[in-house]
Amino acid sequence: MAAGHSDHYDVIVVGAGVVGLSCAWRTAERGLRVLVIERARPGAGASNVAAGMLAPVGEATWGEDRLLDLALESHRLWPRFAEELAAAAGGEIGYLDLGALHVALDRDEAAELRRRFELMRSLDLEADWARPRACRELEPGLGSVTAGVHAPHETAVDPRSLIVALAAAFEAAGGRLEVAEVTAAVLDRERFAGVRTQDGREHRARATVLAAGSWSAAEWLPAEARPSIRPVKGQILTLRGPASEPVCERIVVGERVYLVPREDGRLIVGATIEEQGFDTRITAGGVHELLREAYRALPDVAELELVEANAGLRPTTPDNLPLIGAGEVAGLLLATGHYRNGILLAPVTAERIAEMLESGHPEPVAEVAAR
Ligand code: GLY
């Protein structure tokens, strides 16, 4: 297509991470004409390095009740989302009912875990206190464990398989995915009317969805349309051993580490939480901390091969709540700011965005989050 050419869609989604593609797929399924624009490749941001824990109980924390409600709602949507996606894409996405075991490895950690357990109970979350023997019955590979909390309904998905499936399902639903860098907003009077890409082309749509993760506060947006998003760095490792002898069968969570087993023998070890701007260097300190804590929890990790070390950037808002809904400029919707929960919150984000796009009545971000 020549520079200067203008094309027209019902919806443009900027960003082909799990959130952007989920919104795009669910919207295309409703019969709208959708273009996704991605500057690198699908999942190139946080999605490709995420562990894929779908763990609302483990992520629950003090003072975040609205986020918890959203997380629980999305967790309930996940089984159907996974099933429909696998059917639409004709491939598996590594969705597993693993359950999670939170472990304390010394007395201080046990006191902290007890506090977290009391919180879980006060929020009516499904979790049981487990003594050391019960922990070891669940996970015989554990090291010296002082106490545990078993959250049996936590699940996981492989975000890389998820991205491939979402892209396939989206295209099968009639959507179009383009790799291009967005360089400017197209405004029609005060209204957002689309975007311009580096090759000079203009892409117009009735609505544009900003799903650019940590890059959502982009300079190409009008200043008043830029959401308050900052990147929070996470370093994460992939280990690998024989699939027939996994070092754990559940998600194992320590105070400073989580371990997520995949069916093929990989074990994801995550993740640091660092305020480092857009820095994505892998540091000796980060890798050391993750391996040290993984080894404390499950000593057999020492036998595994270290196959990858990555760093991703979590798109984070001041209150940790995602931005889902209409932003400050008419015609622009936000689907960003999911911090630690982008994969978990993808189904609920997609349902809400698709509904708003189909009805033509976008709701303001804060109201959507409060529902
Ligand atoms: N969801 C876990 C993390 O962001 O590290």
Side-chain angles (χ1 to χ4, degrees):
M1 231 180 273
H5 179 95
S6 165
D7 49 21
H8 293 258
Y9 293 85
D10 295 318
V11 177
I12 293 170
V13 178
V14 179
V18 165
V19 169
L21 283 174
S22 297
C23 293
W25 170 48
R26 286 309 209 190
T27 304
E29 271 191 332
R30 292 177 185 228
L32 277 73
R33 295 178 58 244
V34 185
L35 170 68
V36 172
I37 304 181
E38 162 60 42
R39 65 183 182 147
R41 66 195 148 79
S47 299
N48 253 347
V49 301
M53 272 189 299
L54 310 174
V57 176
E59 289 292 323
T61 191
W62 291 268
E64 293 194 346
D65 297 13
R66 282 164 66 190
L67 180 57
L68 176 63
D69 287 346
L70 202 60
L72 289 171
E73 184 182 343
S74 205
H75 194 254
R76 284 191 290 274
L77 294 175
W78 252 104
R80 189 165 63 91
F81 186 85
E83 197 179 316
E84 290 179 2
L85 179 58
E92 281 309 314
I93 59 169
Y95 178 73
L96 299 173
D97 275 322
L98 295 174
L101 184 63
H102 295 249
V103 292
L105 305 174
D106 60 31
R107 284 176 57 183
D108 286 351
E109 289 185 9
E112 172 62 18
L113 189 59
R114 175 56 80 170
R115 272 175 17 92
R116 296 197 76 82
F117 178 61
E118 298 301 339
L119 173 75
M120 291 171 191
R121 279 222 304 218
S122 73
L123 295 167
D124 264 343
L125 299 174
E126 291 190 291
D128 303 306
W129 187 256
R131 293 176 181 278
R133 189 158 156 193
C135 292
R136 244 186 296 281
E137 275 166 17
L138 291 168
E139 289 296 345
L142 285 172
S144 169
V145 59
T146 312
V149 170
H150 184 212
H153 301 303
E154 310 274 64
T155 50
V157 67
D158 181 346
R160 293 184 185 174
S161 305
L162 180 59
I163 282 286
V164 172
L166 282 168
F170 169 60
E171 289 184 328
R176 180 171 169 77
L177 177 59
E178 281 203 23
V179 174
E181 175 112 26
V182 174
T183 52
V186 176
L187 295 168
D188 208 343
R189 298 193 184 93
E190 302 293 282
R191 200 184 155 81
F192 218 92
V195 296
R196 191 165 296 118
T197 45
Q198 200 166 27
D199 48 17
R201 284 187 296 156
E202 203 171 89
H203 310 272
R204 288 184 164 256
R206 284 193 280 118
T208 300
V209 179
L210 181 67
S214 286
W215 294 267
S216 295
E219 297 218 332
W220 59 264
L221 283 163
E224 67 277 20
R226 278 178 215 153
S228 178
I229 300 279
R230 69 179 199 285
V232 173
K233 176 180 176 180
Q235 299 188 51
I236 191 161
L237 309 175
T238 303
L239 311 181
R240 188 172 53 207
S244 55
E245 292 171 47
V247 298
C248 59
E249 294 196 342
R250 289 164 188 73
I251 300 166
V252 172
V253 186
E255 202 173 277
R256 287 174 290 274
V257 74
Y258 54 77
L259 301 106
V260 184
R262 303 256 195 263
E263 269 182 322
D264 60 4
R266 280 176 298 155
L267 181 70
I268 312 302
V269 181
T272 62
I273 300 178
E274 304 170 62
E275 296 282 355
Q276 300 276 0
F278 283 91
D279 167 42
T280 52
R281 286 171 308 150
I282 309 298
T283 64
V287 173
H288 170 71
E289 180 185 319
L290 293 172
L291 289 179
R292 183 192 66 217
E293 294 302 312
Y295 177 76
R296 277 180 79 218
L298 291 164
D300 289 348
V301 297
E303 305 302 323
L304 303 182
E305 185 183 357
L306 171 58
V307 288
E308 277 185 46
N310 295 294
L313 300 171
R314 306 173 180 93
T316 309
T317 59
D319 62 3
N320 292 344
L321 270 171
L323 304 173
I324 306 168
E328 296 298 317
V329 175
L332 180 68
L333 275 75
L334 308 179
T336 186
H338 292 71
Y339 186 38
R340 292 173 56 87
N341 293 301
I343 313 291
L344 171 60
L345 295 176
V348 75
T349 306
E351 288 307 323
R352 290 183 180 191
I353 292 286
E355 179 62 37
M356 288 182 232
L357 290 167
E358 189 181 36
S359 70
H361 299 296
E363 296 179 38
V365 162
E367 283 179 28
V368 173
R371 260 197 279 146

